[in-house]
Amino acid sequence: ATAVATATSVVFVEGRTQGELFESHDVHYVPTTLSSEHVRASAAIPVLFPAISVERPESVRGWYYDGGTRLNTPIKPVLDFGVDRVVISATHSVGRVEHAPWQDPKNAPDVADGAVQLLLATMADPLIVDVRMLGKINLIVGDEAGTEATRRNRERHGKAPYKQVPYILVTPPHRDSVGDAAAEVFHRRYQGLRGLRSPNVALLGRLVGGVTEPHGELLSYFFFEHHYAEKLIEMGRADAKRRLERDGELWGSGPPGASDGG
């Protein structure tokens, strides 16, 4: 989560003492017993949702927003904990978008499209950037000359040396897969007269400017609906199965390529 008072990233950790936690200049690790307030704080996207008051532990009591504003990807904390391997599940693919509706001169982007760009830049893209950085570090560590240089540099700063951390990256087949899923569930469950079953959800569709491409992407960030959640779980299982069945080495080390987009 992001502490409103200090604008710093705070990672609440259960199961470790303060002495066991890595000290970082840009991430504050706090041992605690996780509860609903920590979970809600980690999902409180600024502007879209109000800040959440976290009461425990007392030492970091205060208001918090979604950590995505500062540290969206938990890869750094995981590496700080000294893991040997990591499995990463992403909501967006690595591949580039081949076509967007606003590429048509007659179809100018609107306010909702602009909001999507801001959310992607802060909530989705950093994960892929961090995975690429992990891959680059793995390549450097794999090079003998690079390993020695980075070791000396980290020693000067009082940090442990880098080590290679193989990873598995699981992603949807397309960058807009999650947004398409949100739009599909909304149309099937709440479009037209079906919206009478939940006027609030129907209103949500109107607030995002109508659930059309790419407004489904915007909807996906605050569409808390159980049918949509079930569809995401189903999609995640399919993505993982596709990754396991793909030819080649299961564990990656270098930066992800286009083939990792699905």
Side-chain angles (χ1 to χ4, degrees):
T2 298
V4 176
T6 60
T8 56
S9 297
V10 177
V11 176
F12 297 104
V13 183
E14 183 171 353
R16 297 199 182 189
T17 65
Q18 188 67 62
E20 296 173 322
L21 295 176
F22 180 82
E23 289 296 330
S24 172
H25 69 280
D26 53 0
V27 180
H28 184 33
Y29 296 101
V30 179
T32 188
T33 299
L34 297 178
S35 65
S36 62
E37 65 182 15
H38 301 103
V39 176
R40 287 185 290 115
S42 70
I45 301 175
V47 180
L48 299 180
F49 299 102
I52 299 298
S53 176
V54 173
E55 301 296 325
R56 299 184 307 277
E58 180 69 26
S59 61
V60 292
R61 180 181 179 183
W63 294 94
Y64 288 83
Y65 277 122
D66 185 342
T69 57
R70 296 280 174 178
L71 182 70
N72 184 47
T73 314
I75 294 179
K76 175 176 170 51
V78 167
L79 296 178
D80 285 346
F81 291 159
V83 299
D84 296 315
R85 294 172 181 263
V86 60
V87 177
I88 304 161
S89 179
T91 57
H92 292 76
S93 69
V94 178
R96 295 180 179 274
V97 177
E98 297 298 329
H99 175 75
W102 53 83
Q103 288 177 342
D104 184 346
K106 298 180 181 179
N107 193 6
D110 57 20
V111 174
D113 299 325
V116 168
Q117 296 304 308
L118 289 175
L119 286 170
L120 287 175
T122 56
M123 310 298 289
D125 294 345
L127 187 147
I128 301 302
V129 171
D130 281 4
V131 175
R132 289 189 174 124
M133 180 58 69
L134 172 60
K136 291 177 180 178
I137 292 174
N138 282 339
L139 291 180
I140 293 174
V141 173
D143 177 76
E144 186 173 341
T147 300
E148 180 60 23
T150 56
R151 183 188 64 78
R152 290 197 301 266
N153 179 66
R154 290 182 67 80
E155 281 183 350
R156 284 197 298 268
H157 292 84
K159 297 181 179 180
Y162 283 128
K163 66 177 182 180
Q164 280 198 335
V165 180
Y167 67 89
I168 295 176
L169 176 62
V170 178
T171 72
H174 308 291
R175 186 179 177 88
D176 53 0
S177 294
V178 171
D180 288 347
E184 187 276 324
V185 172
F186 183 89
H187 283 300
R188 175 164 49 87
R189 299 282 306 174
Y190 304 103
Q191 189 69 17
L193 293 178
R194 291 187 293 273
L196 295 175
R197 70 177 67 185
S198 180
N200 288 337
V201 175
L203 176 61
L204 179 62
R206 291 195 292 272
L207 289 176
V208 300
V211 184
T212 58
E213 186 186 3
H215 294 180
E217 183 71 36
L218 180 58
L219 175 68
S220 70
Y221 282 92
F222 39 88
F223 190 27
F224 296 99
E225 198 268 358
H226 70 281
H227 293 92
Y228 174 53
E230 290 172 355
K231 186 172 183 64
L232 289 180
I233 293 172
E234 178 185 332
M235 291 169 58
R237 288 172 176 163
D239 295 337
K241 182 179 180 181
R242 184 174 58 255
R243 179 64 184 85
L244 291 172
E245 293 176 346
R246 199 176 72 196
D247 293 335
E249 180 65 33
L250 178 61
W251 293 93
S253 57
S259 61
D260 294 292

